[in-house]
Amino acid sequence: MNAREPAFVSQSRSARLRQMLVSSELEFMMEAHNGLSARIVREAGFKAIWGSGLAISAQFGVRDNNEASWTQVVDTLEFMADASDLPILLDGDTGYGNFNNVRRLVRKLEQRGIAGVCIEDKQFPKTNSFINGEAQPLADIDEFCGKIKAGKDSQNDEHFSIVARVEALIAGWGMDEALRRAEAYRRAGADAILIHSKLSRPDEILEFAREWAGRAPLVIVPTKYYSTPTEVFREAGISTVIWANHLIRAATSAMQAVAKEIHASETLVNVEDSIAAVNEIFRLQDADEYSEAEDRYLSGGRAACSAVVLAASRGKGLEAVTEDRPKVMLPIAGKPLLRWLVDAFKKQGVNDITVVGGYRADAIDTAGIRLVVNEQHAQTGELASLACALDKLTGDTVVSYGDLLFRSYILRDLVESEAAFSVVVDSSLTDTENASVRDFAWCSAADDRGLFGNKIVLRHVASGQEQSSAASAAQVPHGRWVGLLNVRGAGLERLQAVMRELQTRDDFASLDMPALLNALIEAGESIEVQYVHGHWRGVNDLDDFRRAGDFAHAQAPFATAVGGATANDAHGGVQ
Ligand code: SPV
Ligand code: MG
């Protein structure tokens, strides 16, 4: 049966291994020595993995003499079993001790999802069969049969397989001894016999197979007689061929060549195109699954939250201090304004941050952010900057002015809002005579603590010309939009659609963020209002800039203790 047939794949790993051993087809197992190689074996199409003792010890950098402890081997197998759903047949050397060690090994292997173990009739600690094989002492037959019986008696899973490996040909004891041992091991309960040879021709293996005459499945390891056509094994009635060490050898050659080249040339350019891309490593590690799980399980099941920070302006009234940097890079209490904002976002789990720079974008500190540049910043407004970042956004998004400082609860409450659109409005700012205040907001109701918890929506925000003529507005505003907009779920697509429409307008280049809010409202969107009363600052002029330091200090840990009574905000100090 083909490995990809559903009936085969739905079976347990041990059942699949057993089926391979008893099937009348010639089957193949490929060596793996860690999780990554186990994944690679599966992707290549193999149906089972050989957990090679040689390869596992080699990847640890130790000898194939039981220098790695059996628990270290079993831990490695666990990574392999996690990385690949293929059955794994462990090369269990001599069973790491006597019958009792075999019993414990079998139980531990079953617990870790390993399908079977192969044990060889040598003595612990063993040496690889290809290193002076004739000098290697064989196990006493009865003692080895006891190990097989003990292993079979201790397995809980009826399909777990024990393969008995006959080393008589390796040790030079002859064909009769090999056959005698194989028969004894079969009678002791072995599910298959591995007959090993170190000759470069398959003659003794084929003779053994003839004499054996199918009494139990035969497994071979043609490392030395590799030039034998595979058809010969098929015709000889072999059950399973193990390609025993070829991935560790392939990895070794590749690593040697690449290390040598990089050392000699002191550059990576000569190797980059001939080695796996970093993305290929991520793929083999199943990094995408992690990202999906993150969306499902982190942030209370919310999709990853991103932010766009509008930071293109030099800052009107701040020319004296923004010769060599944009407003967002002004130092406030020891760190740039933008860093305060970025840290505030990160604190709320908003890690994907796109900053739209413009004026002196080269001076923006890009650590932990993605910088995009509005090259037309001198001739365009906020929406043109937002448009530069629009295609970078996926999932829930906060759009923010770059010149904000705020108490952390303001952002926390905003990103926790379930509404497709929500904004923060400061109800302490309704004095339209104050020329330095912009973005006045009118809402469905005034801020009234009696209404706490009631849904209030945005009706309009002063935009463009209105910014300077708000004093003459018929109705007193309910507050000021602070420059934070949260877009959630399907809201993002709708915002992008409204943006596309605005982009067709002749005056798009001059539009500000309030124009977008108003366009959303006109398009029938409901924008939920979260009222605050102070607790934030915008940096709009030199006065703001000077006072921002006190506010920022108050946001730092233990600031009130150190900085004294500086926690008041700029707008009346309501705490
Ligand atoms: C192994 O892969 O560790 C084996 C097979 O035991 S061999 O190295 O050929 O003995
Ligand atoms: Mg081995």
Side-chain angles (χ1 to χ4, degrees):
M1 184 184 288
N2 189 291
R4 291 180 219 289
E5 281 180 30
F8 182 83
V9 172
S10 66
Q11 289 175 11
S12 70
R13 301 192 213 216
S14 55
R16 280 181 273 159
L17 174 63
R18 181 66 65 78
Q19 193 178 322
M20 286 174 67
L21 290 173
V22 301
S23 91
S24 53
E25 303 286 309
L26 180 65
E27 306 278 5
F28 303 91
M29 274 182 215
M30 185 74 219
E31 167 261 318
H33 48 270
N34 57 21
L36 191 72
S37 54
R39 176 69 61 102
I40 288 168
V41 169
R42 186 192 74 186
E43 289 191 352
F46 284 98
K47 288 163 70 173
I49 291 172
W50 169 243
S52 160
L54 170 63
I56 291 174
S57 55
Q59 60 84 42
F60 279 132
V62 299
R63 290 167 285 212
D64 191 10
N65 291 77
N66 298 117
E67 289 187 341
S69 74
W70 74 275
T71 53
Q72 288 170 325
V73 171
V74 171
D75 284 345
T76 303
L77 289 174
E78 187 175 52
F79 280 103
M80 292 163 59
D82 285 346
S84 159
D85 57 3
L86 295 186
I88 299 173
L89 175 65
L90 169 65
D91 169 10
D93 294 341
T94 59
Y96 312 112
N98 70 5
F99 76 94
N100 192 45
N101 301 89
V102 172
R103 293 198 300 189
R104 190 162 168 76
L105 176 66
V106 167
R107 284 197 297 269
K108 292 295 144 189
L109 292 177
E110 282 190 341
Q111 285 166 9
R112 306 222 188 178
I114 307 307
V117 64
C118 174
I119 52 174
E120 63 195 58
D121 56 356
K122 292 203 301 231
Q123 291 180 22
F124 179 87
K126 48 65 59 101
T127 293
N128 186 277
S129 304
F130 300 142
I131 300 175
N132 204 6
E134 319 240 326
Q136 297 186 20
L138 295 188
D140 171 77
I141 293 185
D142 290 339
E143 195 254 350
F144 194 69
C145 286
K147 281 186 186 178
I148 296 168
K149 282 192 193 119
K152 291 306 291 177
D153 286 347
S154 57
Q155 72 187 57
N156 287 317
D157 172 358
E158 57 165 330
H159 294 120
F160 187 89
S161 294
I162 296 188
V163 178
R165 167 164 160 180
V166 176
E167 289 283 286
L169 301 178
I170 295 286
W173 289 33
M175 188 59 65
D176 287 347
E177 178 70 8
L179 287 162
R180 195 162 71 87
R181 284 176 173 261
E183 178 60 13
Y185 304 158
R186 183 186 72 82
R187 286 174 185 273
D191 297 294
I193 300 295
L194 189 158
I195 180 68
H196 205 13
S197 167
K198 59 181 189 242
L199 302 185
S200 56
R201 295 187 48 80
D203 301 6
E204 59 183 8
I205 292 297
L206 297 178
E207 186 187 339
F208 183 95
R210 259 193 317 273
E211 298 290 332
W212 183 249
R215 279 175 269 169
L218 270 192
V219 180
I220 60 169
V221 184
T223 304
K224 292 289 181 183
Y225 47 99
Y226 64 88
S227 57
T228 310
T230 301
E231 202 45 42
V232 172
F233 304 141
R234 201 168 265 122
E235 275 164 21
I238 300 298
S239 153
T240 303
V241 171
I242 293 176
W243 313 121
N245 45 44
H246 300 80
L247 294 192
I248 191 80
R249 287 165 61 192
T252 301
S253 307
M255 289 192 283
Q256 284 168 331
V258 169
K260 196 169 159 201
E261 170 57 35
I262 294 174
H263 180 258
S265 60
E266 297 184 343
T267 172
L268 302 175
V269 293
N270 300 329
V271 302
E272 181 61 29
D273 293 340
S274 54
I275 59 179
V278 175
N279 278 343
E280 173 61 0
I281 303 297
F282 293 155
R283 190 190 66 76
L284 287 164
Q285 292 171 308
D286 215 357
D288 283 352
E289 192 281 334
Y290 179 82
S291 303
E292 284 161 26
E294 213 173 26
D295 291 349
R296 234 174 304 131
Y297 302 122
L298 284 181
S299 319
R302 295 194 55 177
C305 201
S306 59
V308 181
V309 177
L310 303 177
S313 81
R314 175 172 183 174
K316 280 205 189 76
L318 290 162
E319 287 79 0
V321 286
T322 52
E323 181 74 24
D324 57 349
R325 58 187 139 197
K327 175 160 74 164
V328 292
M329 288 306 290
L330 284 175
I332 309 285
K335 64 179 178 182
L337 188 47
L338 179 65
R339 201 42 48 196
W340 284 99
L341 193 58
V342 167
D343 289 351
F345 277 120
K346 299 219 166 199
K347 196 170 159 190
Q348 299 306 327
V350 180
N351 292 311
D352 179 1
I353 301 169
T354 303
V355 174
V356 187
Y359 174 74
R360 291 305 309 260
D362 58 305
I364 290 180
D365 166 15
T366 56
I369 60 151
R370 179 193 302 118
L371 178 68
V372 298
V373 180
N374 174 7
E375 302 289 356
Q376 309 296 318
H377 65 92
Q379 300 86 42
T380 59
E382 290 157 4
L383 287 198
S385 288
L386 179 61
C388 297
L390 224 49
D391 63 333
K392 301 279 182 300
L393 306 182
T394 50
D396 300 347
T397 301
V398 180
V399 182
S400 168
Y401 285 161
D403 58 2
L404 297 182
L405 293 167
F406 43 75
R407 292 235 182 142
S408 57
Y409 79 87
I410 292 181
L411 183 62
R412 185 204 59 195
D413 292 355
L414 186 72
V415 297
E416 282 180 3
S417 164
E418 297 286 333
F421 300 98
S422 48
V423 290
V424 181
V425 171
D426 182 356
S427 63
S428 72
L429 286 167
T430 55
D431 177 9
T432 50
E433 299 300 323
N434 184 345
S436 76
V437 177
R438 49 166 285 179
D439 295 349
F440 283 110
W442 289 265
C443 309
S444 59
D447 186 14
D448 174 347
R449 288 179 189 193
L451 291 175
F452 186 78
N454 281 11
K455 197 169 147 184
I456 295 167
V457 296
L458 189 68
R459 294 263 192 257
H460 186 77
V461 182
S463 165
Q465 292 302 310
E466 297 173 274
Q467 298 281 16
S468 48
S469 58
S472 59
Q475 274 187 308
V476 177
H478 296 109
R480 176 186 174 183
W481 176 55
V482 309
L484 285 168
L485 163 68
N486 187 44
V487 186
R488 184 146 192 190
L492 182 62
E493 237 169 67
R494 290 173 359 223
L495 177 130
Q496 284 165 327
V498 168
M499 274 292 282
R500 276 194 295 275
E501 230 163 78
L502 290 173
Q503 278 173 299
T504 64
R505 276 171 51 167
D506 291 344
D507 60 348
F508 179 73
S510 67
L511 295 182
D512 53 14
M513 276 298 293
L516 173 62
L517 296 176
N518 294 333
L520 283 166
I521 294 165
E522 275 157 35
E525 298 293 350
S526 169
I527 303 179
E528 208 168 282
V529 169
Q530 176 192 315
Y531 274 125
V532 295
H533 211 72
H535 295 174
W536 70 283
R537 272 179 189 273
V539 178
N540 290 309
D541 53 28
L542 273 175
D543 267 357
D544 285 346
F545 173 44
R546 289 193 192 103
R547 284 195 296 252
D550 284 349
F551 182 88
H553 266 306
Q555 312 308 309
F558 303 115
T560 38
V562 177
T566 57
N568 281 3
D569 63 16
H571 313 297
V574 179
Q575 298 301 300

